Amino acid sequence: MFQNSEIPAVGVADLDDELLAEAFVLDVREPDEWNRGHIEGATHIPLGQLQERVGEVPLDQKVLCVCAVGGRSSMATQFLASQGRDAVNFEGGMQAWEAASRPVSLD
């Protein structure tokens, strides 16, 4: 739906435990969305704060950007790539994650 061929992306079917274990999972949703559930171990930086907090995102690790359906995370992926990060968009976002019955953390 939001896929741009120039933005690296991965869908829920291709998101295996190995990639999740290796990646820095960055959730760019708003706090109320985050509080309703997120991927365990994810880091929360709302998209509107990403520019000022980009230093919190590692340079030496793949970054998996997540939002509700993939739009905001696509923007985050583009921005992070422009800042030298190896970023990939999680296509379908938390909506696809939950539809695939993947675990949601409320911590």
Side-chain angles (χ1 to χ4, degrees):
M1 167 180 206
F2 295 100
Q3 179 61 18
N4 175 331
S5 62
E6 297 177 14
I7 300 171
V10 62
V12 71
D14 300 316
L15 189 58
D16 60 24
D17 291 336
E18 183 177 333
L19 176 58
L20 277 174
E22 293 174 0
F24 179 85
V25 180
L26 175 63
D27 192 317
V28 297
R29 297 176 300 152
E30 293 301 311
D32 62 313
E33 295 171 292
W34 166 267
N35 291 335
R36 288 193 300 264
H38 48 271
I39 297 172
E40 185 174 346
T43 297
H44 182 226
I45 302 176
L47 183 60
Q49 298 176 15
L50 186 56
Q51 188 171 0
E52 65 193 46
R53 295 177 60 189
V54 69
E56 297 174 39
V57 181
L59 282 163
D60 60 350
Q61 191 174 6
K62 183 174 287 296
V63 180
L64 178 66
C65 299
V66 180
C67 70
V69 295
R72 288 171 287 177
S73 57
S74 177
M75 289 186 275
T77 300
Q78 286 181 299
F79 171 71
L80 290 170
S82 77
Q83 300 298 304
R85 272 50 175 203
D86 180 13
V88 62
N89 184 35
F90 179 44
E91 205 171 52
M94 288 302 294
Q95 190 173 76
W97 179 266
E98 291 181 61
S101 300
R102 300 294 299 257
V104 175
S105 178
L106 297 172
D107 66 3

